[in-house]
Amino acid sequence: MKKIGFLSFGHWSDEPAAATRSAQDTLLQSIDLAVAAEELGADGAYFRVHHFARQLASPFPLLAAVGARTKKIEIGTAVIDMRYENPLYMAEDAGAADLIAQGRLQLGISRGSPEQVIDGWKYFGYQPAEGESDADMARRHAEVFLNLLEGKGFAQPNPRPMFPNPPGLLRLEPHSPGLRNRIWWGAASNATAKWAAQLGMNLQSSTLKDDENGKPFHVQQAEQIRIYREAWKEAGHEGTPRVSVSRSIFALTDERDWMYFSRGGKESDQIGFIDQTRSIFGRGYTGEPDRLIEELRRDEGIAEADTLLLTVPNTLGVEYNAHVIENILKHVAPALGWR
């Protein structure tokens, strides 16, 4: 059994065929898609965060709105770029959104990905400390954020406050108990997967990974997940960590599917370089359900994970994206034992 959700990058475009022509279109349709996915029985609604792009950027208003409109579905990110974040303000926003959603937030955070602008985080007022890289800064912000979510007091109260204070040092409010256990780290390397395990974060592994040994992407991803789980055990954490992977999977079941996706896409792994690091990009899957079932059965990365996030073409509109999700839930997942 697996939890199955969708992952939207939240694109909008001026193209005539796009159903999302503005940021408002994308935000409102993202809420509607989460509602539709819940009605279909999907387990998660996840959103990507990119700055300086015609895509979703500020996640917490959207997460709160989805939380207010839904009842059961998990609501998350994959991922928030911690180079851009004020951990204290983020802890307040996250606490509020999780309380509105009644404890359904699953926040994926990370060092981020290649950007639309050069060193975009500097425009947000952040700069790596001396001897730090931007990745080091992101991990430092993440550690501060995790500590704040513990809910421990740290700030000296004013002896003459505007409102009465509880005794002792003060913490940030609103605080949402349990949210600390629902933070995920998006890891592109085996080393950062181990680091995430040591800090007690869940793991998000997407379709991009450092090429560390030349093996196929899904094999390297499965290895990364096993390394992560072993590091979790060695750290002595209680409970079982969660692991998600994301995939582009399109089942061809009607004329629209054939029109949009019958030509296929990236049906084999791709190699590229990001920040001078050799990276491997996982393949997508397109085909009739029977063919998909056989191909997905051989994907070792999916097999190792407990959660699968389906990337959706959000510019094609809510109704069609709900159809894409339903195709997998109805025609593919049961045969693979995911449902």
Side-chain angles (χ1 to χ4, degrees):
M1 300 291 289
K2 294 190 188 299
K3 289 184 178 292
I4 301 175
F6 72 83
L7 171 59
S8 172
F9 280 51
H11 297 279
W12 68 87
S13 170
D14 294 331
E15 293 294 326
T20 50
R21 305 292 298 279
S22 68
Q24 183 178 60
D25 289 343
T26 292
L27 288 163
L28 295 177
Q29 290 187 33
S30 294
I31 298 167
D32 290 342
L33 182 58
V35 172
E38 181 175 76
E39 292 172 352
L40 291 170
D43 301 296
Y46 286 74
F47 304 96
R48 189 71 166 89
V49 177
H50 279 125
H51 299 287
F52 298 103
R54 289 186 166 194
Q55 299 176 39
L56 294 170
S58 54
F60 292 106
L62 174 60
L63 296 172
V66 172
R69 287 279 307 277
T70 57
K71 301 289 186 184
K72 299 178 181 179
I73 198 168
E74 294 180 345
I75 307 162
T77 52
V79 289
I80 297 172
D81 188 334
M82 293 303 292
R83 295 175 295 184
Y84 287 78
E85 294 297 324
N86 177 326
L88 285 85
Y89 198 77
M90 182 177 174
E92 291 183 342
D93 278 353
D98 194 44
L99 291 170
I100 290 170
Q102 300 184 64
R104 288 182 284 132
L105 228 57
Q106 302 284 343
L107 284 184
I109 63 177
S110 187
R111 186 214 86 143
S113 60
E115 305 177 85
Q116 296 296 108
V117 300
I118 297 171
D119 297 340
W121 30 266
K122 70 182 181 183
Y123 297 105
F124 281 57
Y126 303 113
Q127 191 73 31
E130 186 175 352
E132 267 192 336
S133 67
D134 62 320
D136 294 331
M137 178 176 67
R139 286 188 282 269
R140 172 166 53 83
H141 286 179
E143 292 188 37
V144 173
F145 177 63
L146 293 174
N147 288 333
L148 292 167
L149 293 183
E150 297 284 354
K152 298 175 183 176
F154 62 91
Q156 189 69 39
N158 188 336
R160 293 181 292 277
M162 181 177 294
F163 308 107
N165 281 324
L169 299 177
L170 301 183
R171 68 184 184 188
L172 291 174
E173 301 289 356
H175 171 67
S176 184
L179 179 56
R180 171 62 178 83
N181 297 324
R182 287 177 273 115
I183 305 301
W184 307 57
W185 184 261
S189 69
N190 293 346
T192 51
K194 290 178 66 175
W195 175 81
Q198 291 163 357
L199 268 65
M201 289 186 280
N202 300 304
L203 177 67
Q204 286 183 338
S205 187
S206 69
T207 53
L208 167 64
K209 185 184 178 300
D210 292 357
D211 186 6
E212 300 189 62
N213 57 29
K215 296 178 183 177
F217 169 80
H218 71 102
V219 176
Q220 291 197 50
Q221 187 174 59
E223 292 173 349
Q224 181 195 51
I225 294 170
R226 289 190 287 269
I227 288 169
Y228 163 80
R229 289 197 173 117
E230 186 59 33
W232 179 279
K233 291 179 182 178
E234 291 176 357
H237 298 304
E238 295 181 359
T240 302
R242 289 183 58 185
V243 175
S244 73
V245 297
S246 61
R247 293 288 187 275
S248 295
I249 306 173
F250 299 102
L252 305 179
T253 64
D254 68 14
E255 291 181 357
R256 293 172 301 172
D257 302 327
W258 283 92
M259 177 178 66
Y260 289 132
F261 299 111
S262 62
R263 295 181 181 179
K266 295 179 179 179
E267 310 246 330
S268 60
D269 295 345
Q270 306 291 316
I271 299 294
F273 287 84
I274 297 179
D275 297 332
Q276 299 180 335
T277 299
R278 180 182 167 94
S279 301
I280 185 167
F281 302 79
R283 58 162 297 184
Y285 293 91
T286 303
E288 294 176 297
D290 289 347
R291 174 188 164 191
L292 287 181
I293 290 164
E294 292 308 310
E295 292 183 343
L296 291 167
R297 206 185 300 276
R298 297 190 291 270
D299 190 309
E300 296 181 21
I302 295 177
E304 284 287 343
D306 58 76
T307 301
L308 173 63
L309 302 183
L310 305 169
T311 59
V312 293
N314 74 282
T315 56
L316 295 181
V318 174
E319 189 274 332
Y320 182 71
N321 278 282
H323 164 77
V324 167
I325 296 166
E326 184 178 26
N327 270 350
I328 304 304
L329 295 177
K330 181 178 179 180
H331 299 296
V332 177
L336 289 164
W338 300 347
R339 278 291 187 270

